[in-house]
Coordinates of all heavy atoms in Angstrom, one line a residue:
C64 N 53.0 -21.9 189.8 CA 53.0 -21.2 188.6 C 52.4 -19.7 189.0 O 51.7 -19.6 190.1 CB 52.1 -21.8 187.4 SG 50.2 -21.8 187.8
P65 N 52.7 -18.8 188.2 CA 52.3 -17.4 188.5 C 50.8 -17.1 188.9 O 50.5 -16.4 189.8 CB 52.8 -16.5 187.4 CG 54.0 -17.3 186.9 CD 53.6 -18.8 187.0
T66 N 50.0 -17.8 188.2 CA 48.6 -17.5 188.3 C 48.1 -18.2 189.6 O 47.3 -17.6 190.3 CB 47.8 -18.2 187.2 OG1 48.3 -17.5 185.9 CG2 46.3 -17.8 187.2
A67 N 48.6 -19.4 189.8 CA 48.2 -20.0 191.1 C 48.7 -19.1 192.3 O 48.0 -19.0 193.3 CB 48.9 -21.5 191.2
E68 N 49.9 -18.7 192.1 CA 50.4 -17.7 193.2 C 49.6 -16.6 193.5 O 49.2 -16.3 194.6 CB 51.9 -17.4 192.8 CG 52.5 -16.4 193.7 CD 53.8 -15.9 193.1 OE1 53.8 -14.8 192.3 OE2 54.9 -16.4 193.5
L69 N 49.1 -16.0 192.4 CA 48.3 -14.8 192.4 C 46.9 -15.1 193.2 O 46.5 -14.4 194.1 CB 47.9 -14.3 191.1 CG 47.0 -13.2 191.0 CD1 47.4 -11.9 191.6 CD2 46.6 -12.9 189.5
L70 N 46.4 -16.3 192.8 CA 45.1 -16.7 193.5 C 45.3 -17.0 194.9 O 44.3 -16.7 195.6 CB 44.6 -17.9 192.6 CG 44.1 -17.4 191.3 CD1 43.7 -18.7 190.4 CD2 42.8 -16.6 191.2
T103 N 50.6 -7.0 195.9 CA 50.1 -8.0 194.6 C 50.5 -7.2 193.4 O 50.9 -7.7 192.3 CB 48.7 -8.3 194.9 OG1 48.5 -8.7 196.1 CG2 48.3 -9.5 193.9
I104 N 50.1 -5.9 193.4 CA 50.4 -5.1 192.2 C 51.9 -5.0 191.8 O 52.3 -5.3 190.9 CB 49.8 -3.6 192.3 CG1 48.4 -3.7 192.6 CG2 50.2 -2.7 191.0 CD1 47.7 -2.3 192.9
Y106 N 54.4 -7.0 193.3 CA 55.3 -8.3 193.0 C 54.6 -9.2 191.9 O 55.3 -9.7 191.0 CB 55.1 -9.2 194.4 CG 56.0 -8.7 195.4 CD1 55.8 -7.6 196.2 CD2 57.3 -9.3 195.5 CE1 56.8 -7.2 197.0 CE2 58.3 -8.9 196.5 CZ 58.1 -7.8 197.2 OH 59.0 -7.4 198.1
Q107 N 53.2 -9.4 191.8 CA 52.8 -10.3 190.8 C 52.5 -9.4 189.6 O 52.5 -10.1 188.4 CB 51.3 -10.8 191.3 CG 51.6 -12.0 192.1 CD 52.1 -11.8 193.5 OE1 51.7 -10.8 194.3 NE2 53.0 -12.5 193.9
G108 N 52.3 -8.2 189.6 CA 52.0 -7.3 188.4 C 53.3 -6.9 187.9 O 53.8 -7.3 186.8
F109 N 54.2 -6.1 188.5 CA 55.3 -5.6 188.0 C 56.5 -6.7 188.1 O 57.3 -6.7 187.1 CB 55.8 -4.2 188.8 CG 54.9 -3.0 188.3 CD1 53.6 -2.8 188.9 CD2 55.4 -2.1 187.4 CE1 52.9 -1.8 188.5 CE2 54.7 -1.0 187.1 CZ 53.4 -0.9 187.6
G110 N 56.6 -7.4 189.1 CA 57.5 -8.3 189.3 C 57.4 -9.6 188.3 O 58.4 -9.8 187.5
R111 N 56.3 -10.1 188.3 CA 56.0 -11.4 187.6 C 55.4 -11.0 186.1 O 55.4 -11.9 185.3 CB 55.0 -12.3 188.2 CG 55.4 -12.9 189.6 CD 56.0 -14.1 189.3 NE 56.2 -14.7 190.6 CZ 57.5 -15.0 191.1 NH1 58.5 -14.7 190.4 NH2 57.6 -15.6 192.3
G112 N 54.8 -9.8 186.0 CA 54.5 -9.4 184.7 C 53.0 -9.8 184.5 O 52.6 -9.9 183.3
L113 N 52.3 -10.2 185.4 CA 50.8 -10.6 185.4 C 49.9 -9.2 185.0 O 50.4 -8.2 185.3 CB 50.2 -11.3 186.4 CG 50.9 -12.7 186.9 CD1 50.3 -13.2 188.0 CD2 50.8 -13.6 185.6
D114 N 48.8 -9.6 184.4 CA 47.9 -8.4 184.0 C 47.4 -7.6 185.1 O 46.9 -8.1 186.0 CB 46.8 -9.2 183.1 CG 45.8 -8.0 182.7 OD1 46.3 -7.3 181.7 OD2 44.7 -8.1 183.0
L115 N 47.7 -6.4 184.9 CA 47.5 -5.4 186.1 C 46.0 -5.3 186.3 O 45.4 -4.9 187.4 CB 48.2 -4.0 185.8 CG 49.6 -4.0 186.0 CD1 50.3 -2.8 185.6 CD2 50.1 -4.3 187.4
A116 N 45.1 -5.2 185.1 CA 43.7 -5.1 185.2 C 43.1 -6.4 185.9 O 42.2 -6.2 186.8 CB 43.1 -5.0 183.9
L117 N 43.7 -7.5 185.7 CA 43.2 -8.7 186.4 C 43.5 -8.5 187.8 O 42.7 -8.9 188.7 CB 43.8 -9.9 185.8 CG 43.6 -11.2 186.5 CD1 42.2 -11.7 186.5 CD2 44.6 -12.3 186.0
I118 N 44.7 -8.1 188.2 CA 45.1 -8.0 189.6 C 44.3 -7.0 190.2 O 43.8 -7.2 191.4 CB 46.6 -7.6 189.6 CG1 47.4 -8.8 189.2 CG2 47.0 -7.2 191.1 CD1 48.8 -8.5 189.1
L121 N 41.0 -8.8 191.1 CA 41.2 -9.7 192.2 C 41.4 -9.0 193.5 O 40.8 -9.4 194.6 CB 42.3 -10.6 191.9 CG 42.2 -11.8 190.9 CD1 43.4 -12.5 190.5 CD2 41.1 -12.8 191.4

Side-chain angles (χ1 to χ4, degrees):
C64 74
T66 304
E68 178 188 86
L69 172 65
L70 294 170
T103 315
I104 298 169
Y106 281 82
Q107 280 65 53
F109 286 79
R111 296 268 188 246
L113 295 181
D114 183 62
L115 290 171
L117 170 66
I118 291 173
L121 280 174

